[in-house]
Amino acid sequence: MHVLVTGGAGFIGSHTVVALLERGHDVTIVDDFENSSPVVIDRIEQITGIRPALAEIDLLDEDAFEVAFAAAAPDAVIHFAGLKAVGESSADPLRYYAHNLGSTFSLLKAMKRHGTQTLVFSSSATVYGDLQEPPYTEEGGRLDATNPYGMTKVMLERILSDIAAAEPGWHIALLRYFNPIGGHESGLIGEDPSGIPNNLAPYVLQVSIGRRPHVNIFGDDYPTADGTGERDYIHVVDLAQGHVAALERLAEVDGARAWNLGTGHGTSVKQLIAAFESAAGRTIPSVVVPRRDGDLPRSWADTTRAEAELGWKATRDIADMARDGWRWQQRNPNGFADDRTR
Ligand code: UDP
């Protein structure tokens, strides 16, 4: 298949592009590099020996996107592009709604014009809000979120489901990610957040190489085994392979359907820090601070549906995630900014 990948230079996008190329698919990346680096394209080529086509375009620029879409003439689209910082979304909701919804409308209009009806959408476990106790199952029905970022995912899942119900011929995967971490085993691509990382794993990695003094543990008084928050961390390469599995099964699925992409296991903040300490062979200092607003005590996936219907299962454990995350950070202490070839 020829797959158009929006946000293909980002963390999950880049690993998915590698997985697609390794499976023999053709790829066109659409990315404006607002929150990613062009160096990623070189690294993808280093890993796979194939340089994916690139359209450096803001999806909100509908005219430019039309030209790029027509030129690529894709069989399918994987849509990663979007803003994703939870705290920022609460501070500037209009920007988040305008950007994440507007760019998806631009994409959907182009897909309709060109009769491309196969779409894999980046959703998130955040759409479960606090409506269920873990493990979260897709059957729950009602969706909710506690912040504008999460609401853009809830709204877009609904919009995509409505379109698929109203018009015949659509095949849409709504992939609900749990907590992707780690990096490619080559150490060439990984997570490179701009500014202070919001998420635990990149923060821990920056402490491990001395860029930050200590990890702040957001609360140790949760009703969990060691009192710290538990999450379903999933290796980004497993997640990427989940996208390929969904894409390759979508022809048999009519309409829109949701699948969880997680491991089905919870790991606490303290356990995750300990895994990174083992991988790095050094102590990672931490300080317990108050809970972060809006954080749930525990979240993990029921993976039954993805296993049964996509024939996919995460195979990498926390030690693998820590090893590959550490390798990436150690070789690229300042992320892609260390690459001087550009
Ligand atoms: N967390 C933490 N310190 C940090 C960032 C996160 O203790 O600097 C905790 C957070 O409270 C949660 C877990 O780590 O229990 C994962 O947080 P992250 O932001 O990575 O993912 P999310 O909350 O979106 O699942």
Side-chain angles (χ1 to χ4, degrees), residues 1-6 20 25-28 69 72-79 107 111 115-120 171 246-248 250:
M1 273 187 261
H2 187 150
V3 188
L4 186 129
V5 183
T6 76
L20 288 166
H25 298 292
D26 292 328
V27 172
T28 297
F69 198 98
D75 303 302
V77 175
I78 305 184
H79 181 38
L107 170 66
M111 291 181 75
T116 304
Q117 290 188 294
T118 301
L119 173 64
V120 176
H171 308 276
L247 182 74
E248 292 179 353
L250 259 185

Side-chain angles (χ1 to χ4, degrees), residues 84 86 124-126 147 149 177-181 191 196-204 214-219 222 228-233 267-270 272-273 287 289-299:
K84 58 167 192 174
V86 171
S124 165
T126 192
N147 56 73
Y149 158 74
Y177 311 154
F178 282 71
N179 291 64
I181 66 169
E191 189 167 14
I196 302 170
N198 297 302
N199 297 110
L200 180 62
Y203 202 106
V204 169
H214 61 261
V215 181
N216 294 304
I217 298 178
F218 296 151
Y222 283 106
T228 65
E230 293 173 350
R231 293 289 183 276
D232 186 344
Y233 298 98
T267 299
S268 75
V269 174
K270 285 184 175 169
L272 193 75
I273 294 172
V287 174
V289 300
R291 294 180 179 190
R292 181 171 66 181
D293 268 359
D295 274 355
L296 295 170
R298 304 141 78 229
S299 155

Side-chain angles (χ1 to χ4, degrees), residues 8 15 20 39 42 60 80 93-94 109 118 128 157 169 187 192 196 217 222 226 233 240 274 286 294 321-322 332 335:
H15 289 82
L20 288 166
V39 171
D42 302 337
L60 289 168
F80 292 105
L94 176 57
K109 286 190 259 180
T118 301
Y128 292 113
E157 281 209 15
D192 184 18
I196 302 170
I217 298 178
Y222 283 106
D226 67 19
Y233 298 98
S286 62
M321 300 178 213
N332 307 268

Side-chain angles (χ1 to χ4, degrees), residues 16-316:
T16 301
V17 169
V18 167
L20 288 166
L21 293 171
E22 285 174 343
R23 283 281 294 173
H25 298 292
D26 292 328
V27 172
T28 297
I29 291 176
V30 175
D31 206 300
D32 64 357
F33 300 120
E34 183 180 317
N35 195 21
S36 61
S37 165
V39 171
V40 170
I41 312 297
D42 302 337
R43 300 286 177 90
I44 290 171
E45 184 178 9
Q46 264 178 275
I47 294 168
T48 64
I50 300 166
R51 191 167 186 86
L54 170 68
E56 190 175 341
I57 281 171
D58 179 349
L59 273 175
L60 289 168
D61 182 345
E62 292 193 21
D63 294 338
F65 184 61
E66 166 58 27
V67 172
F69 198 98
D75 303 302
V77 175
I78 305 184
H79 181 38
F80 292 105
L83 301 174
K84 58 167 192 174
V86 171
E88 202 177 78
S89 79
S90 297
D92 193 352
L94 176 57
R95 177 160 172 256
Y96 268 67
Y97 288 118
H99 191 108
N100 287 5
L101 272 60
S103 57
T104 307
F105 294 155
S106 172
L107 170 66
L108 290 168
K109 286 190 259 180
M111 291 181 75
K112 276 194 75 162
R113 278 195 300 272
H114 292 273
T116 304
Q117 290 188 294
T118 301
L119 173 64
V120 176
F121 176 65
S122 284
S123 189
S124 165
T126 192
V127 302
Y128 292 113
D130 58 3
L131 297 170
Q132 288 187 46
E133 280 297 307
Y136 298 143
T137 66
E138 298 90 340
E139 277 102 55
R142 208 156 73 79
L143 302 178
D144 195 11
T146 53
N147 56 73
Y149 158 74
M151 278 311 298
T152 68
K153 298 297 183 190
V154 172
M155 290 176 177
L156 286 167
E157 281 209 15
R158 177 62 188 264
I159 289 163
L160 292 169
S161 301
D162 286 350
I163 291 171
E167 298 172 2
W170 284 93
H171 308 276
I172 301 179
L174 308 169
L175 300 185
R176 297 178 180 160
Y177 311 154
F178 282 71
N179 291 64
I181 66 169
H184 192 264
E185 62 175 12
S186 63
L188 288 167
I189 54 175
E191 189 167 14
D192 184 18
S194 53
I196 302 170
N198 297 302
N199 297 110
L200 180 62
Y203 202 106
V204 169
L205 282 169
Q206 292 194 4
V207 174
S208 71
I209 51 150
R211 264 171 80 179
R212 302 189 187 277
H214 61 261
V215 181
N216 294 304
I217 298 178
F218 296 151
D220 66 353
D221 55 353
Y222 283 106
T224 58
D226 67 19
T228 65
E230 293 173 350
R231 293 289 183 276
D232 186 344
Y233 298 98
I234 174 170
H235 196 296
V236 66
V237 172
D238 279 327
L239 189 73
Q241 289 168 352
H243 286 72
V244 178
L247 182 74
E248 292 179 353
R249 295 285 166 112
L250 259 185
E252 300 148 30
V253 178
D254 285 330
R257 187 150 176 87
W259 288 282
N260 287 337
L261 297 185
T263 67
H265 307 291
T267 299
S268 75
V269 174
K270 285 184 175 169
Q271 287 170 331
L272 193 75
I273 294 172
F276 278 105
E277 286 183 320
S278 299
R282 54 182 76 172
T283 302
I284 297 175
S286 62
V287 174
V288 177
V289 300
R291 294 180 179 190
R292 181 171 66 181
D293 268 359
D295 274 355
L296 295 170
R298 304 141 78 229
S299 155
W300 59 88
D302 183 318
T303 60
T304 312
R305 185 188 281 189
E307 282 173 37
E309 296 180 4
L310 302 180
W312 167 91
K313 190 177 181 348
T315 60
R316 294 164 180 83

